[in-house]
């Protein structure tokens, strides 16, 4: 059979252990206002074996380098407890017309001096990541949201959170 008659595979799968450039830009902690509306799903498994989902925006995610991701969550979140017990999580999102699923190994980060946010900070290293796309359909978005009411206050809080994540990530590398 000639190559011209061989059908193209419907799924393009890219496996990675370092953030692709588009994702690194998404999680670089800059220009948060232009990235608002983006949502990632953080998936964890609790002690009962139930999968739990936390929805996160760009103000709660920061990639300090090509292999890690810092996460800011409220300490009472079920995800914090689940990650403390298992040390694992998965992050799913849509970026650059592809669906991403990233398996993370997660540990707590120390709080930063002067941070009175009350947030829990975690750092995850990429265990494995996958990006999936198909030629016949273009992903234009995943779960998205709009900031309402006090949107400026949320963006200001995100800016502070990202600064604290940057400081905590830098301290963890020392």
């Amino acid at each position: 059979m000639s190559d011209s008659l061989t059908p193209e595979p419907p799924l393009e799968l890219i496996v990675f252990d370092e953030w692709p450039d588009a994702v690194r830009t998404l999680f670089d902690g800059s220009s948060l206002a232009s990235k608002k509306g983006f949502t990632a799903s953080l998936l964890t498994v609790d002690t009962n074996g139930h999968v739990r989902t936390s929805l996160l925006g760009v103000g709660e995610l920061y990639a300090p380098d090509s292999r890690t991701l810092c996460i800011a969550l409220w300490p009472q979140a079920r995800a914090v407890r689940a990650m403390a017990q298992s040390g694992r999580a998965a992050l799913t999102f849509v970026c650059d017309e592809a669906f991403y699923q990233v398996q993370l190994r997660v540990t707590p980060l120390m709080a930063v001096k002067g941070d009175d946010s009350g947030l829990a900070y975690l750092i995850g290293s990429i265990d494995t990541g996958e990006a999936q796309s198909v030629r016949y359909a273009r992903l234009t978005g995943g779960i998205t949201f709009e900031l309402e009411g006090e949107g400026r206050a949320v963006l200001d809080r995100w800016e502070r959170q990202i600064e604290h994540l940057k400081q905590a990530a830098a301290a963890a590398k020392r």
Side-chain angles (χ1 to χ4, degrees), residues 44-125:
T44 56
V45 178
D46 67 18
T47 55
N48 294 323
H50 297 131
V51 175
R52 303 293 182 186
T53 303
S54 298
L55 300 178
L56 305 175
V58 292
E60 295 147 330
L61 302 165
Y62 169 64
D65 59 50
S66 65
R67 295 180 182 266
T68 58
L69 183 70
C70 297
I71 304 166
L73 292 168
W74 295 110
Q76 65 272 24
R78 293 181 292 195
V80 172
R81 287 190 304 277
M83 288 185 287
Q85 293 165 347
S86 71
R88 311 254 329 147
L91 189 75
T92 63
F93 55 93
V94 172
C95 177
D96 204 25
E97 300 180 357
F99 174 76
Y100 284 80
Q101 183 168 11
V102 183
Q103 302 296 321
L104 300 166
R105 295 190 184 278
V106 184
T107 58
L109 275 171
M110 299 298 292
V112 204
K113 283 190 182 216
D115 176 12
D116 60 355
S117 68
L119 294 170
Y121 299 122
L122 303 114
I123 189 165
S125 59

